[in-house]
Amino acid sequence: VVVSTQRTWKQWYQRRVHGSTILHTTQAVTMIKLNTSFLRTVNGILKIAECVCIFILLLIIRFGGSNYAALSLGSVNNSFVGHGTVVGFAIIVPAILVTYLLGGSVSILELVINLIGGLLFLVVGGLAIAHNSRAANGSLFAVGMFSIVTGLVFLVDLGWLLKNTKFTFITRVEGTR
């Protein structure tokens, strides 16, 4: 008689032979090779810097208000743009980083993301600094400065990719009969 129960990632099989219990362990191993050498390249260092800046901005915006409340960037529209930019890129940039770690390469989508990210973070920085006088604790100035630095890191990443990436475009010409 074979009795099996699944516990996390191992399965234990118990078999009784002549009154004694024999335990067998089997495990399935899936190998995923991570391209950690990417983290030592200029592009990898820039992606890590983007992640760190965005994480710091996320914490300041979430806990930088009075009594550790969420920080408002002035009007509802400014807050919408600022919070949306930071949260959106807090999802996008780590996803790109994981893609590289799994063996991906540069795509045109990343160029577009870097351009939009650079522009949006510069806008958020300008909005935060413009409304800095409304916050007594200087949190908006910190958001503004970190946003501008983050935007510049995105634009440097874009420039680096444009300078060092060769794209091949395949065009198909329809011929006449």
Side-chain angles (χ1 to χ4, degrees), residues 57-130:
L57 274 170
L58 195 61
L59 290 177
I60 294 172
I61 286 178
R62 174 56 189 97
F63 299 110
S66 60
N67 295 328
Y68 304 108
L71 184 63
S72 173
L73 299 178
S75 71
V76 173
N77 292 333
N78 292 350
S79 294
F80 188 76
V81 169
H83 295 176
T85 298
V86 173
V87 171
F89 281 91
I91 296 168
I92 293 169
V93 174
I96 292 172
L97 192 58
V98 168
T99 302
Y100 278 125
L101 288 174
L102 293 175
S105 60
V106 177
S107 68
I108 295 176
L109 177 63
E110 185 180 355
L111 299 175
V112 172
I113 288 170
N114 283 340
L115 176 65
I116 292 172
L119 295 176
L120 280 175
F121 278 107
L122 290 176
V123 166
V124 170
L127 290 173
I129 290 174

Side-chain angles (χ1 to χ4, degrees), residues 1 7 13 23 31 37 63 73 89 111 131 141 147 154:
V1 175
R7 295 180 185 164
Y13 294 101
L23 293 175
M31 298 297 289
S37 62
F63 299 110
L73 299 178
F89 281 91
L111 299 175
H131 292 88
F141 185 74
S147 293
F154 269 97

Side-chain angles (χ1 to χ4, degrees), residues 41-51 93 153 156-158 160:
T41 64
V42 173
N43 196 13
I45 292 168
L46 288 171
K47 286 296 172 206
I48 292 170
E50 290 169 7
C51 282
V93 174
V153 171
V156 167
D157 192 12
L158 174 65
W160 178 262

Side-chain angles (χ1 to χ4, degrees), residues 140-156:
L140 282 179
F141 185 74
V143 168
M145 294 310 294
F146 265 109
S147 293
I148 290 172
V149 168
T150 304
L152 292 176
V153 171
F154 269 97
L155 294 177
V156 167

